[in-house]
Amino acid sequence: LLLWSLIPLIAFFAQISSHVGLQAVQTLAAGIFPFLIFSVSFLSHNARWKLGALDFVCGILSVAALVTWAMTRQATYAILLSIIADGLAAVPTIAKSVRAPETEIPLTSMCAAASAAATLLTIPHLDVAYTAYPSYLLIVSLLLLILTSRRYLPARTDPKRSRRS
C-alpha cells in the first residue's frame, strides 16, 4: 500500500508540471486513499501483513522505476515509469485476488474504475500527461473488480457429479 500511495503522488506532481488541470486530482486521490489505508492499518489489531518473494521483487522493481524517473527529470517519463512501477506494485494484489478474492472489497475497485472513467471523459485533448495514468487505473481497477467479484457468482457444478447413477 505504501508503494501504491507514493507512486501516484509522483505521477500527480509530474502531471502538475505538465500543466494537467483538474484531471490530475484523480491521480492525487489514487495516492491519498492507499496512504490512508496504510496508515490506519497500524491502528488495527486485526491487520496483518504477509510479505512474500513476489512482494519484495515488485517493490524493488517499483523503486528502480522511480529512481530511473528521478534521473530523467522528464514529466512524461515520470508518468510512464510511475505506471510501470504501479503495475509492478499491483502484481501481489492481483495475485491475491486470484487466490483469495474474498480478501478484497470489489466496491473499492468499482469506485476506482468509475473515477478513472469519469476522468477520461473530461480530458480536453489526447496527451500522455492527461490520458496515461487514468487509462492505466481504469484497466487495473476493472481487472481487480472482475477478480474480486467472482466470489459473488454462483458456484459451478460438475454435470457428471450431479447425475444419479
Side-chain angles (χ1 to χ4, degrees), residues 15-74:
Q15 286 177 320
I16 294 301
S17 72
S18 292
H19 307 291
V20 172
L22 189 58
Q23 292 79 10
V25 172
Q26 195 260 338
T27 306
L28 176 63
I32 288 174
F33 290 118
F35 182 75
L36 291 174
I37 294 168
F38 175 76
S39 300
V40 169
S41 73
F42 289 105
L43 302 174
S44 173
H45 297 293
N46 296 327
R48 289 181 295 212
W49 295 356
K50 183 179 179 186
L51 299 177
L54 182 60
D55 296 291
F56 287 109
V57 169
C58 292
I60 289 167
L61 292 172
S62 297
V63 171
L66 293 175
V67 169
T68 302
W69 163 72
M71 294 179 353
T72 66
R73 296 285 182 209
Q74 295 289 326

Side-chain angles (χ1 to χ4, degrees), residues 109-126:
S109 299
M110 186 173 65
C111 290
S115 173
T119 298
L120 287 169
L121 291 173
T122 66
I123 292 174
H125 60 278
L126 294 179

Side-chain angles (χ1 to χ4, degrees), residues 7-164:
I7 296 165
L9 293 176
I10 291 169
F12 167 74
F13 288 114
Q15 286 177 320
I16 294 301
S17 72
S18 292
H19 307 291
V20 172
L22 189 58
Q23 292 79 10
V25 172
Q26 195 260 338
T27 306
L28 176 63
I32 288 174
F33 290 118
F35 182 75
L36 291 174
I37 294 168
F38 175 76
S39 300
V40 169
S41 73
F42 289 105
L43 302 174
S44 173
H45 297 293
N46 296 327
R48 289 181 295 212
W49 295 356
K50 183 179 179 186
L51 299 177
L54 182 60
D55 296 291
F56 287 109
V57 169
C58 292
I60 289 167
L61 292 172
S62 297
V63 171
L66 293 175
V67 169
T68 302
W69 163 72
M71 294 179 353
T72 66
R73 296 285 182 209
Q74 295 289 326
T76 300
Y77 293 142
I79 294 165
L80 294 176
L81 289 172
S82 292
I83 290 169
I84 292 168
D86 199 274
L88 293 171
V91 170
T93 302
I94 292 168
K96 188 174 98 165
S97 296
V98 169
R99 277 190 324 271
E102 68 281 356
T103 63
E104 298 293 326
I105 302 169
L107 182 61
T108 306
S109 299
M110 186 173 65
C111 290
S115 173
T119 298
L120 287 169
L121 291 173
T122 66
I123 292 174
H125 60 278
L126 294 179
D127 181 83
V128 171
Y130 282 91
T131 60
Y133 210 84
S135 297
Y136 158 76
L137 286 175
L138 179 62
I139 291 166
V140 169
S141 299
L142 288 173
L143 174 62
L144 287 170
L145 177 61
I146 290 166
L147 292 173
T148 58
S149 295
R150 293 177 304 140
R151 67 181 172 186
Y152 298 108
L153 297 175
R156 288 187 179 175
T157 57
D158 186 356
K160 292 178 187 175
R161 290 186 180 188
S162 64
R163 271 192 237 148
R164 293 190 165 189

